[in-house]
Amino acid sequence: CDLEVLRATCVWDWVPPGLLAVQQRDHAPFSSSRTLETEYLVGGRVKTLLLNVVPVESGGRTLLYGIGQDITERKVMEQALRRHAQRLEAVRQIGLELTRELDLDALLNSIVVRAAELLDSPVGGLYLYRTGRDVLDLVVFCGLDEQMASTSLKPGEGLAGKIWETGEPLFVADYSRWEGRADVYDDHTFRSVVGVPLQWRGELL
């Protein structure tokens, strides 16, 4: 293509409609070599492409020479490594807090907040079993109304109650439609919910 035309257009002008997974906003013209990373569609699946585009002079014309490299697997691995690093950092921070935090409530709150962050969840909570009253008390939470501070569940009631009975983790895809949901959470529009038991020396806490 002509150099003046090249300077007035960008690589996305040559991309067939429907190929890009998302609309590109980078419309800077090509007057020099450029490297771009974008997502495109192949057989209904989103792939990540690393595109190197170089203007090349040939026979008095300026041509676009491009090389595309599929880096989808590399991006997936990078994301997995980032998540793993986040988990390790969260565990490290909790370990540091265990050695210096004397306030149990503050320590539990930190653990709940970090767990919610790792799961990209806006809500998190921790129930403790009270042997004297045979109930589970919500002692620490984030993302819930303060009025939930006095929430108690009986063994077998709600997600925490079911976990207390079975001692096994439990995942609910849509809590609002789950027949085992606790009445106290009827006003909360939870979707996917996951709970895990916490044990110390074989005893469920």
Side-chain angles (χ1 to χ4, degrees):
C1 62
D2 184 85
L3 180 59
E4 294 304 318
V5 174
L6 180 64
R7 287 173 176 168
T9 57
C10 71
V11 68
W12 312 126
D13 296 321
W14 285 281
V15 176
L19 179 62
L20 294 177
V22 293
Q23 183 65 36
Q24 299 297 320
R25 297 180 179 179
D26 183 3
H27 285 283
F30 280 89
S31 56
S32 61
S33 302
R34 298 186 61 194
T35 301
L36 308 131
E37 186 177 304
T38 187
E39 293 181 335
Y40 63 103
L41 295 172
V42 176
R45 297 181 59 187
V46 177
K47 298 281 189 176
T48 303
L49 178 71
L50 184 65
L51 184 64
N52 296 293
V53 182
V54 182
V56 178
E57 295 289 342
S58 177
R61 298 183 302 168
T62 301
L63 307 176
L64 278 181
Y65 178 73
I67 298 176
Q69 180 183 4
D70 187 344
I71 59 171
T72 306
E73 291 188 9
R74 189 181 82 185
K75 297 294 292 186
V76 170
M77 292 181 61
E78 288 175 352
Q79 292 174 0
L81 287 172
R82 280 196 296 269
R83 295 291 294 174
H84 184 61
Q86 290 172 348
R87 293 188 181 97
L88 289 177
E89 176 61 18
V91 171
R92 187 184 75 86
Q93 290 295 335
I94 290 173
L96 291 175
E97 288 162 8
L98 280 170
T99 62
R100 68 190 181 200
E101 183 59 74
L102 300 179
D103 185 342
L104 179 60
D105 289 339
L107 177 61
L108 292 178
N109 182 74
S110 176
I111 292 173
V112 168
V113 169
R114 294 185 188 282
E117 289 175 347
L118 284 174
L119 295 175
D120 294 325
S121 171
V123 177
L126 187 148
Y127 281 89
L128 285 182
Y129 179 64
R130 308 298 193 184
T131 56
R133 295 184 292 122
D134 192 32
V135 297
L136 295 155
D137 283 340
L138 182 63
V139 295
V140 177
F141 59 88
C142 63
L144 291 171
D145 299 333
E146 289 298 323
Q147 64 185 17
M148 302 300 295
S150 58
T151 298
S152 294
L153 299 176
K154 299 177 182 179
E157 181 184 9
L159 189 80
K162 296 291 185 185
I163 293 171
W164 171 255
E165 280 190 332
T166 64
E168 298 292 334
L170 179 60
F171 169 73
V172 177
D174 188 350
Y175 190 86
S176 64
R177 297 177 179 271
W178 183 46
E179 60 182 13
R181 66 185 181 278
D183 293 340
V184 69
Y185 290 117
D186 280 347
D187 294 333
H188 292 76
T189 56
F190 295 146
R191 297 294 293 180
S192 297
V193 182
V194 63
V196 295
L198 299 179
Q199 296 183 350
W200 175 252
R201 295 179 178 176
E203 181 181 355
L204 192 63
L205 301 180

